[in-house]
Amino acid sequence: MSCCKGPGYASPLDAFNNGPREELLYVVCVRPNKNKQDYLATVDVDSKSPTYGQVIHRTYTGVTEDELHHSGWNVCSSCHDNAALKRDLLIMPGLHSCNVYAVDVGTDPRKPRLHKVIDGSKMRSFNCSFPHTTHCLATGEIMISTMGDENENGKGDFVLIDSKTLELTGTWTKGKNLAKFGYDFWYQPYHDVMISSEWGTPKYFKSGFHAEDISNPERYGTKLNVYKWSTRELQQVIDLGSEGCAPLEIRFLHDPKSAQGFVGCAVQANVYRFYKTAEGTWKADKVIDIPAKKVFKDGVESELNGLISDILLSLDDKYLYFSCWLHGDVYQYDISNPEHPKLISRVHLGGKVASEGLKILDKEELKNSEKPITVKGKILQGGPQMLQLSLDGKRLYVSSSLYSPWDKQVYPKMAEEGGWLVKLDVDTVNGGMKLDPDFLVDFGAEPDGPALPHEMRYPGGDCTSDIWLTDD
């Protein structure tokens, strides 16, 4: 076992082989009632604990209408060689408020407390809004991707925060070129590259999903933006076209020398593999296509796309997982050959067909999709959204909220009754997933009214928060 010098783990395989079993989950929760505060829920996932599967603490932001979404760390495995640093602050940006919350999880991991708030006016002063993904950098800085300018027009950029002072110091991008849209990002210094993805224009998507906006290049993105890491300059733009509309979560393989990864494209439910070519440029190919389901309602036939909303990779780079929020499915693919992912398993967890009583033409699909899913007596309203995998790859946690304006539009009953968190048990040797019938966190039973759970984090880092570097 490696000797841990600083935060995180020496390598992805160190985390995979030697990381502890998770005992706590920090779950970002949004309130469908905008007169109430969003919060961070601490969930006990220690199977030996008397409070297993329960919310044991709630850390409120102190204001309303934040729309918390994703979270990250002050430091992570990219700073593993610095013994002076400690992973003790969870960073939570609010999409709507642009506030950034630093939550102290080090003093008492079971009872996180609010440490500092960076007011949203500071972010807007740098002409940025709608902060999304948080990653820590080896420099000791915190970087957050942003999706809009100060007026919520589309603009892909990144803000920097000093991890010691927790002051927002400016933007990361250099040069004249900016990405048209923003969303997620992942950096791979060994190849001197960072790649970001795109959703769309915040002032339009924040009012809900509008099908007519999909084909409008001023409202939805279709591109991967490739930056030179050392100079912070946008150098290449890869247009995925209509099949790649709304490329959201982007993941390099965890191997810090890897020159490839995957991105999930929401609208058409496709997964693209991106990779470095022999010429040194970057390219992307579609490698997974989840077909739309033909459905009937009130005598009218239509097609229901899957909407891939989250993807992640196991720390040994063996399996790719993703969720289809509208179809209600979670997929597991073997990516031992990244050019040709192989479907291993699919688990159904709700979706539009069950929630709206739609009829499916395909008989095989009908068997998998029509019946509601019940866990511990609760019908799972909505569909699977965010994913979090245990370090050893044996447990996959699934939450149900995508974004509260869309939750209310697409799954109004879930927004009214509250979301959920369930667990899938994973066979890491042969592949396969199975729903745990005894694990459920019902966010409809919260003491101050229903909540919508989104991203999940472990106190010591996980496969979507941590990025590793290499010395050679």
Side-chain angles (χ1 to χ4, degrees):
M1 183 173 179
S2 67
C3 177
C4 182
K5 298 178 182 178
Y9 304 90
S11 69
L13 290 180
D14 178 29
F16 179 78
N17 292 315
N18 304 314
R21 178 169 176 147
E22 68 282 359
E23 295 182 350
L24 297 173
L25 263 183
Y26 296 134
V27 184
V28 168
C29 293
V30 177
R31 310 305 296 279
N33 182 342
K34 294 308 174 185
N35 294 318
K36 296 188 176 183
Q37 299 173 23
D38 295 349
Y39 60 92
L40 180 72
T42 303
V43 177
D44 187 340
V45 291
D46 179 358
S47 59
K48 299 177 181 179
S49 169
T51 54
Y52 175 63
Q54 298 178 29
V55 178
I56 59 174
H57 188 74
R58 298 163 188 85
T59 310
Y60 292 89
T61 63
V63 300
T64 60
E65 299 189 68
D66 274 311
E67 190 69 28
L68 295 181
H69 198 65
H70 281 211
S71 63
W73 295 104
N74 59 326
V75 295
C76 68
S77 293
S78 64
C79 305
H80 182 71
D81 287 337
N82 190 339
L85 299 179
K86 183 180 179 181
R87 188 200 307 256
D88 57 3
L89 294 175
L90 187 67
I91 309 301
M92 302 191 307
L95 287 180
H96 292 180
S97 67
C98 297
N99 293 341
V100 179
Y101 298 92
V103 179
D104 175 7
V105 300
T107 302
D108 186 348
R110 295 177 68 85
K111 295 181 178 180
R113 62 189 186 189
L114 198 57
H115 176 72
K116 182 175 180 177
V117 181
I118 304 173
D119 190 81
S121 61
K122 185 68 174 177
M123 186 176 296
R124 291 190 182 93
S125 74
F126 291 105
N127 195 27
C128 293
S129 68
F130 269 71
H132 189 267
T133 299
T134 300
H135 279 306
C136 58
L137 310 184
T139 58
E141 294 172 293
I142 301 161
M143 188 155 121
I144 304 176
S145 61
T146 57
M147 295 186 280
D149 65 13
E150 62 179 329
N151 297 313
E152 301 180 355
N153 299 301
K155 175 194 170 208
D157 210 343
F158 311 87
V159 295
L160 293 171
I161 298 173
D162 186 302
S163 63
K164 293 182 179 179
T165 65
L166 296 178
E167 294 293 332
L168 204 158
T169 59
T171 56
W172 178 84
T173 311
K174 303 294 184 184
K176 297 181 180 179
N177 297 324
L178 289 176
K180 188 171 184 176
F181 300 109
Y183 190 73
D184 195 20
F185 71 101
W186 198 281
Y187 60 87
Q188 202 80 322
Y190 184 79
H191 295 283
D192 198 18
V193 69
M194 182 185 82
I195 302 181
S196 70
S197 58
E198 300 184 338
W199 183 357
T201 302
K203 67 181 181 182
Y204 294 114
F205 69 64
K206 77 174 187 179
S207 64
F209 174 72
H210 308 290
E212 64 273 16
D213 287 348
I214 291 174
S215 60
N216 187 337
E218 301 303 317
R219 298 194 178 185
Y220 270 78
T222 60
K223 300 177 178 67
L224 299 182
N225 299 291
V226 183
Y227 297 81
K228 187 176 179 64
W229 182 243
S230 59
T231 64
R232 308 184 182 184
E233 295 174 297
L234 178 60
Q235 291 202 324
Q236 183 185 349
V237 176
I238 304 171
D239 192 347
L240 304 177
S242 60
E243 286 290 296
C245 185
L248 299 183
E249 310 297 341
I250 188 165
R251 318 291 187 202
F252 264 95
L253 267 63
H254 293 290
D255 177 354
K257 292 186 178 181
S258 176
Q260 60 183 320
F262 298 90
V263 61
C265 300
V267 174
Q268 299 296 336
N270 296 319
V271 176
Y272 281 72
R273 168 182 170 259
F274 60 87
Y275 55 95
K276 190 177 183 179
T277 68
E279 293 74 30
T281 57
W282 293 80
K283 190 177 178 182
D285 299 325
K286 185 171 69 171
V287 291
I288 299 172
D289 186 333
I290 303 300
K293 296 180 179 182
K294 291 185 178 181
V295 297
F296 270 107
K297 185 176 183 180
D298 299 328
V300 178
E301 179 181 335
S302 62
E303 290 193 338
L304 179 67
N305 287 323
L307 204 159
I308 292 178
S309 50
D310 195 17
I311 71 168
L312 56 74
L313 309 179
S314 60
L315 284 168
D316 60 350
D317 288 333
K318 181 179 180 180
Y319 293 115
L320 163 71
Y321 299 86
F322 62 85
S323 56
C324 282
W325 194 56
L326 296 184
H327 285 178
D329 297 320
V330 177
Y331 288 84
Q332 179 194 42
Y333 276 76
D334 186 322
I335 54 169
S336 300
N337 180 353
E339 295 181 38
H340 301 285
K342 180 182 178 182
L343 176 62
I344 301 297
S345 181
R346 179 176 69 157
V347 172
H348 186 65
L349 296 173
K352 288 281 285 182
V353 172
S355 69
E356 293 191 3
L358 304 178
K359 298 298 181 183
I360 297 183
L361 290 177
D362 188 293
K363 292 183 179 180
E364 192 63 32
E365 283 296 320
L366 184 62
K367 291 189 296 184
N368 294 320
S369 305
E370 193 172 44
K371 294 181 180 180
I373 304 299
T374 301
V375 180
K376 297 184 73 173
K378 178 182 175 66
I379 294 176
L380 300 185
Q381 302 292 347
Q385 211 282 308
M386 293 304 293
L387 309 174
Q388 191 51 266
L389 188 66
S390 61
L391 298 182
D392 61 8
K394 295 181 179 180
R395 293 163 300 283
L396 183 68
Y397 297 93
V398 185
S399 65
S400 60
S401 171
L402 189 149
Y403 173 48
S404 71
W406 289 33
D407 293 348
K408 292 176 180 179
Q409 175 189 4
V410 178
Y411 291 119
K413 201 164 185 180
M414 180 189 73
E416 179 184 343
E417 297 182 0
W420 43 264
L421 173 63
V422 298
K423 177 171 74 72
L424 306 182
D425 293 318
V426 180
D427 182 341
T428 58
V429 177
N430 303 305
M433 304 180 293
K434 185 178 180 180
L435 176 64
D436 181 348
D438 298 317
F439 183 90
L440 170 73
V441 184
D442 181 2
F443 286 93
E446 286 291 84
D448 191 36
L452 301 169
H454 193 67
E455 192 168 54
M456 301 158 279
R457 291 281 178 229
Y458 306 131
D462 50 66
C463 66
T464 57
S465 69
D466 282 33
I467 294 175
W468 281 266
L469 309 183
T470 181
D471 293 330
D472 55 354

